[in-house]
Amino acid sequence: MTAPPPRDSLSPRVPGRGGRDAARRAGAPERGAVPRMEHVRVTSPDLARRAAIGVLHSRLAAGFAGFVLIYLLLAARVVYVTVVHPVPPDKAAIAAQTPSTTVVLPPPARAEITDRNGEILAVSLPAAALYANPKQVEDPGVAAREIAAVIPGLDPGFLEARLADRSRDFVYLDRKLTASQELAVNRLGIPGVYFENTERRHYPEGNLAAHILGGVTPDQRGIAGVEDWFNKRLTSAPGKPLRLSIDIGAEGIVRQAIWQAMSDYDAKGACGIVISARTGRVLAMASVPDYNADDLGSAPADARFNRCVSGDYEPGSVFKLQTLSMAINSDMIQPWDRFNTTHPLHVGRFTVTDFEPAHIWMAVPHILAVSSNIGASRIATILGPQIQRAWLRKLGFFRRPPIQLPEATPPMYHPKSSWKLLTTMTVSFGNGIAMSPLQLISAVVPVVNGGIWYPPTLLDHGKRSAGVRVMSERTSLIMRKMMRNVVTAPDGTGVYARVPGYLVGGKTGTAQVVGPNGRYLQHLNNASFMAAFPMNDPRYVVYVVVLQPHATKQMLPFCHGFTTGGYVAAPAVAQIISRIGPMLGIMPLSGQTLAEAQAALSIPLDPPAPPGRLALGPGHLFPPGASKYAYILAHQTPPANMDVAAHDQALARTEMWQPLAPAAQTVSLPPAPASSAHTLGHRIMNIALPVTRAGG
């Protein structure tokens, strides 16, 4: 190859005027000239680099082709499994991979307690307890002050004493920490102070039903009320709520009414109970003063005292309901019989008088309407102590009431050996015997509901108990009519219990207060009123007791200085009935319906004896079988041959105790001799002998 000539050897051409030999720009070939070839030297590294780039291009092309192939395969697969042949998802796999978004708390140690409508009355909530190891606390004084600063109510001195006790390695500082307090203590970062996961029993309704619910210890063990009575049930089945018969709405109404009465009359305390006349279930039971159930441990003793079941009080004239029921059911006394109330009764150094003496012969309805102690005493002495005790034993006045509260106490009464003339008389009008208000209202239930006794209960069972017949339906009907008279009669003692549209019947009670030495205190009494409604078909019985009321300046224009049951307790009962009636579905009557219902319950204060019947009264004082005490009280000598058969028949009717579930065997008792003049006025009924005798 011939080497090209040097550039400097080329003859320059001067640019100018053009032409064949005209000069051209450097590097530009002449027109028509053949292009020259340039020679480039390529080194080995360049060749290697070019080879590498070629390989890279090949691989990229292969990779791209593979990616396109895979993409097409995946796309085809997706189309197949979603369009051509869809595959359902695996539910188990999805469930296993789904994260849980809820936190399941451990089950509580105690079951909830609810009212009959499912409203929560007691519930266990997660809580924390604060404890410490004194051996690990560096400065007890500083730690105590820091803890007390974030937990109000804790005494720094108490905390320091516990933290300084080096002989122990575990001490509780506070067992009722709130969440905010736990966070505040945790921020302190005190060595040796720790938290323990616990539960706290909470009572959302505060003071309502506090005496019924009771309370628990810091370690969640029941110590009072149903929390104590049903402690095993609440802990053995913590997931199943315990449903009570209480209606928290009615409970609030009763508490408000008795609290108002206690405040108006500056009384020592009060109690109110509403019980079903058809089942014996307690709908409401309030005792004041009371306490917040969350603070049972710090409540004073007077507030913790349950006056409804723990206090034994003489019932006063409310007890005449028992005396007259017993008398009419025995068939020895009839509503048209009249008794001498013209003068007080003197027995030894004791005298029985009436609050408002009438000085007339009174029939049985009149005795109840004006609450004559003299009339009740004469009736009780005709029956005698044996029949009286049998009646009271049957209705539970000699034993503890069967209610699910450990605080319930048995009644107080005279022993049989001292139950003589004076005791028979005083017990007839509610003196000389004492029982709790719950026990008394339970015994009034059969008086108004047709004669069926139900054990009082705080449980809301699915079906009502069968009950036991303890008196005839006739007796109950007569008693309802006479109780209605107490409220409607112009001179009745219960006129302030009237509620428009509601057929309320009842009985007042004013009892003296027994002092510490066993003697009655002067110028002090307990005022009460027992009521039922509606009297044409009784649904509920209401009882209010106001303890030791005073005629305050505020109430003086109304009560005129008296603190009797008619002035103090009857208005509270009327307030309760007017508010709970509509809530319980019992609407007031009006117009013709009200007039007809009232007419059906009407009974004259002094009803005449039916034709052919001989009534007790002047000249005919005693029926067959009358007790010797009736003769003694009338200053007459008892007959030598008492009518034992008539007395035993009355006693058998008194001891009637027929469970309703099984059919009772009925036996007709023989009638009294026809020659007896009183047989016309006191016929012997066919009765069912008791299957079992009432215990006592």
Side-chain angles (χ1 to χ4, degrees), residues 184-218:
V185 174
N186 191 46
R187 287 172 177 169
L188 296 176
I190 303 174
V193 176
Y194 306 98
F195 301 100
E196 178 185 33
N197 291 329
T198 62
E199 286 187 355
R200 179 175 63 90
R201 198 66 164 169
H202 177 55
Y203 303 92
E205 299 296 338
N207 292 57
L208 290 185
H211 290 99
I212 297 174
L213 297 172
V216 297
T217 62

Side-chain angles (χ1 to χ4, degrees), residues 383-467:
L383 300 174
Q386 186 178 9
I387 291 179
Q388 187 181 51
R389 287 179 57 87
W391 181 268
L392 300 182
R393 181 185 301 109
K394 176 179 66 176
L395 291 179
F397 288 109
F398 293 167
R399 60 181 183 269
R400 178 191 177 280
I403 192 69
Q404 299 92 346
L405 292 173
E407 297 84 9
T409 57
M412 302 173 64
Y413 53 92
H414 288 276
K416 182 179 180 180
S417 59
S418 63
W419 201 294
K420 304 300 183 182
L421 172 60
L422 186 60
T423 300
T424 302
M425 294 172 61
T426 57
V427 168
S428 71
F429 53 84
N431 283 19
I433 188 171
M435 74 287 299
S436 66
L438 177 69
Q439 192 150 34
L440 183 60
I441 193 175
S442 301
V444 175
V445 168
V447 175
V448 302
N449 73 357
I452 309 301
W453 180 84
Y454 297 103
T457 179
L458 287 169
L459 291 180
D460 186 36
H461 297 290
K463 59 180 181 179
R464 70 178 188 179
S465 57

Side-chain angles (χ1 to χ4, degrees), residues 69 110 170 225 518 528 694:
L69 179 61
R110 295 181 71 83
F170 184 96
S528 63

